[in-house]
Amino acid sequence: MKAVLLAKDASTGLPKAELKEVDTPIPGPGGLVVKLEACGLCGTDIEKIRGEYTAAMPVLGHEAVGTIAAVGEGVAGFREGDRVFPHHHVPCHSCHYCKAGSETMCDMYRSSNLTPGGFSEFFRVPRWNVSKGGVLKLPDDLNFDVASLVEPVACCVRALDKCGVKSGESVLVAGAGPVGMMHSMLLKSMGADVIVSDVSEGRLEFAERSGVRLVINAAKVDVPNSVKAETEGRGSDVVIVASGSPEAIIQGLRSVRKGGRICLFGIPSRGSILDYDIGDLYNSELSVFASYGATETETKRAMAQITSNHSDFAKLLTHKFPLEMFDEAVDTAASGRGMKIVVTPD
Ligand SMILES: [Zn+2]
Ligand SMILES: [Zn+2]
């Protein structure tokens, strides 16, 4: 079978994605093998290919959905042909971190994964993920392409829970890429007043069409001043930084109101340093926090949101590439053309 795997370039020593012919996996006891139908390309996949990813062991493809092709010994509740979303990381739900609500910091969370990864014609889901409830069956009316949004939308759901956004609050989403738009869509459904900033005109046009109140071109105007002008001089109640760029983080810190909340959602490159006076955090009583990953609790809610708002979420899917064209998929994503990119087996 075909699989896109992370390899090392022999001449440069740098990581690269390579389409390889490998053995089709067989399920271990308690595990599953899933036939890929669609897998979203995430910004973190691109960071992994470029050697800039800092959070976990680099496996490509974690936004995969498909059909169960083989069921391991002792698995109950699943059978061949079931349409599923298997979460790549699953927490234990019993350790100190899990009980305290930091499930994605559980030592077990990042210990298992899809093998060889989500960009593979077939992949194995380990016993841990199956037995801990990480595999969800897809509703019949949710097509595979749109279902590939379950994982990233779940990560947004978790972040927005941490922000505790109330109806009527103003929220700046800094970054109008795919996850920035997922945040905007969820925020609008919560009754928030959404402003979106980005440096890409194309992405801002997309945000504008989606019906947010205001878009700000961060390449042309001062973001904090523009946000303050729209919020009676205060700044927004909440900022979601849906970009790993230090400039976007600083703009977020300067665009939030006194006493406001800032959620770091995008992943900064390795070694990113902020040029920011920490005293301002105290003087303005700012709450800064990060949100990493998602659990089954959020994937279930994400699936319900996507199913009930299918046509809006479907608009995020602007490009589709087969596994053979994986390099083109990466180039398209890295160039910022379009929104969400989905990779399919053929
Ligand atoms: Zn992702
Ligand atoms: Zn745990």
Side-chain angles (χ1 to χ4, degrees):
M1 65 159 193
K2 294 188 291 279
V4 175
L5 303 175
L6 213 50
K8 212 175 219 172
D9 190 298
S11 54
T12 62
L14 296 171
K16 64 169 184 172
E18 221 171 58
L19 183 68
K20 288 196 170 145
E21 192 61 38
V22 296
D23 290 342
T24 303
I26 49 166
L32 300 167
V33 166
V34 173
K35 179 184 180 294
L36 176 70
E37 299 289 350
C39 184
L41 182 63
C42 176
T44 60
D45 290 315
I46 296 167
E47 291 184 342
K48 286 168 190 172
I49 294 164
R50 296 187 170 172
E52 289 167 351
Y53 189 66
T54 53
M57 68 181 174
V59 171
L60 291 181
H62 57 270
E63 300 176 1
V65 289
T67 312
I68 294 180
V71 177
E73 198 190 308
V75 173
F78 293 101
R79 58 176 180 212
E80 265 177 53
D82 281 349
R83 303 166 75 249
V84 290
F85 160 78
H87 204 281
H88 63 308
H89 289 333
V90 183
C92 78
H93 297 292
S94 56
C95 72
H96 182 83
Y97 294 108
C98 284
K99 284 183 185 160
S102 304
E103 297 92 340
T104 62
M105 296 293 109
C106 171
D107 287 339
M108 295 307 294
Y109 185 70
R110 289 178 253 194
S111 68
S112 63
N113 213 319
L114 311 177
T115 28
F119 299 119
S120 176
E121 281 185 280
F122 294 87
F123 54 85
R124 186 169 17 196
V125 186
R127 177 211 291 261
W128 174 267
N129 299 37
V130 179
S131 66
K132 293 287 173 183
V135 182
L136 308 184
K137 285 185 195 168
L138 300 176
D140 292 340
D141 52 349
L142 187 58
N143 76 45
F144 285 118
D145 292 353
V146 181
S148 73
L149 297 173
V150 166
E151 197 277 338
V153 170
C155 296
C156 297
V157 167
R158 184 174 181 84
L160 293 179
D161 274 357
K162 291 189 178 204
C163 295
V165 177
K166 293 183 265 305
S167 177
E169 282 194 308
S170 57
V171 183
L172 168 68
V173 178
V179 286
M181 292 319 301
M182 290 172 206
H183 275 298
S184 310
M185 288 161 66
L186 295 170
L187 282 161
K188 276 196 298 161
S189 72
M190 296 160 76
D193 184 21
V194 184
I195 300 174
V196 173
S197 67
D198 202 284
V199 291
S200 154
E201 203 61 64
R203 290 193 155 172
L204 290 172
E205 278 166 22
F206 189 99
E208 202 156 32
R209 280 199 302 277
S210 81
V212 299
R213 171 152 74 97
L214 179 75
V215 299
I216 301 172
N217 188 330
K220 290 185 180 159
V221 299
D222 183 78
V223 175
N225 283 341
S226 307
V227 173
K228 283 175 187 157
E230 292 293 323
T231 51
E232 297 168 329
R234 287 188 300 267
S236 61
D237 296 303
V238 176
V239 174
I240 314 279
V241 186
S243 155
S245 120
E247 292 79 26
I249 297 172
I250 290 180
Q251 278 166 7
L253 288 164
R254 298 202 167 121
S255 300
V256 77
R257 70 161 166 84
K258 287 185 275 185
R261 295 100 80 196
I262 300 135
C263 179
L264 304 184
F265 188 85
I267 302 171
S269 303
R270 196 190 295 270
S272 293
I273 303 283
L274 281 194
D275 180 15
Y276 178 79
D277 185 341
I278 306 289
D280 292 348
L281 290 184
Y282 176 81
N283 291 326
S284 300
E285 204 187 38
L286 302 185
S287 300
V288 182
F289 46 89
S291 188
Y292 173 89
T295 71
E296 311 79 81
T297 316
E298 291 97 15
T299 51
K300 283 178 191 153
R301 284 166 56 200
M303 197 155 74
Q305 285 270 1
I306 293 169
T307 308
S308 66
N309 200 0
H310 199 278
S311 61
D312 274 351
F313 280 101
K315 286 181 194 145
L316 289 170
L317 306 169
T318 53
H319 293 75
K320 197 161 155 172
F321 293 96
L323 282 171
E324 278 94 353
M325 291 176 70
F326 190 78
D327 288 343
E328 283 87 338
V330 171
D331 288 345
T332 306
S335 73
R337 292 195 299 278
M339 275 288 157
K340 192 70 187 174
I341 289 158
V342 171
V343 176
T344 55
D346 40 40

